[in-house]
Amino acid sequence: MTNHVLRIDASARHDDSVSRKLADKVIDKLSPATVTKRDLSTPLPLIDSTWIGANFTPVDDRTDEQKATLALSDTLIAEIEAADTLVIGLPIYNFAVPSTFKAWVDLVARAGVTFRYTENGPEGLLKGKRAILAVASGGTEVGSDYDFATGYARHMLGFMGITDVSVVAADRLMIDPDASHKTANDQIENLAA
């Protein structure tokens, strides 16, 4: 049962965004008690040398300035930790994820916080969560050799421990919009609440 959804919208569009409309339908299907929203249309800051320096300074040694530098990242990670399910409205831009989604990933993929390295390789620390990617594309077929968005999103979520990832896709909208919407709606209908 999904009690708390973290909704992440990566589309620069609003009213006419297919990925946002798909995310709406997914959340309606899940009927969660709580929805936390993170809209990436207002871009997040990119990581820089100051952020990297703060991130790799041991927690007990961080200055107040370094703690402030990491505050947004800490908030974004806390949003994931609080959620049972992530619903990510993910358009495909130029065969890949929007830069705003990549900026979000860079801020939440933190060694020792959301993943760690072990003698057996990396281990994700955000286990026991589910993610649903609500994907929209004009011409890119989801799962094709030139879809660099869904594979990347799956990989990064899995790297952080979220391995239960479903895809709802309205892809190739510029080629056959009716079929694309029907396929996505059928996939949403078949999602387990």
Side-chain angles (χ1 to χ4, degrees):
M1 179 177 168
T2 299
N3 292 319
H4 187 166
V5 165
L6 171 59
R7 176 185 177 145
I8 300 165
D9 284 301
S11 178
R13 294 179 176 183
H14 287 269
D15 295 338
D16 58 347
S17 167
V18 173
S19 65
R20 286 177 190 268
K21 290 175 184 170
L22 291 175
D24 288 341
K25 290 178 181 180
V26 168
I27 290 169
D28 286 346
K29 170 76 175 176
L30 299 177
S31 299
T34 305
V35 179
T36 300
K37 296 179 182 179
R38 177 59 63 178
D39 191 338
L40 303 181
S41 67
T42 301
L44 298 170
L46 301 178
I47 62 171
D48 58 15
S49 62
T50 301
W51 189 94
I52 292 168
N55 186 44
F56 286 104
T57 298
V59 174
D60 293 339
D61 296 337
R62 288 182 185 147
T63 65
D64 289 343
E65 182 180 318
Q66 287 176 319
K67 290 174 188 172
T69 298
L70 295 175
L72 175 59
S73 173
D74 292 338
T75 297
L76 297 172
I77 291 167
E79 289 174 353
I80 300 169
E81 290 172 336
D84 303 303
T85 301
L86 283 67
V87 175
I88 302 172
L90 189 67
I92 297 178
Y93 290 171
N94 299 315
F95 309 103
V97 297
S99 61
T100 54
F101 183 75
K102 175 65 167 70
W104 177 83
V105 167
D106 287 344
L107 289 167
V108 299
R110 285 176 53 192
V113 181
T114 57
F115 69 92
R116 67 180 175 181
Y117 292 108
T118 72
E119 60 279 353
N120 298 320
E123 176 189 4
L125 301 176
L126 298 173
K127 296 177 181 164
K129 299 181 184 304
R130 173 185 187 194
I132 301 168
L133 305 176
V135 180
S137 80
T140 302
E141 182 178 356
V142 168
S144 67
D145 289 344
Y146 51 91
D147 167 15
F148 302 106
T150 57
Y152 171 78
R154 277 183 188 274
H155 176 78
M156 290 310 303
L157 291 166
F159 184 74
M160 294 184 287
I162 304 170
T163 57
D164 180 0
V165 180
S166 303
V167 176
V168 169
D171 57 356
R172 304 179 75 216
L173 286 162
M174 307 233 5
I175 298 163
D176 191 347
D178 292 338
S180 295
H181 285 291
K182 182 183 182 323
T183 298
N185 289 331
D186 290 348
Q187 291 168 339
I188 291 168
E189 199 53 43
N190 290 325
L191 284 174

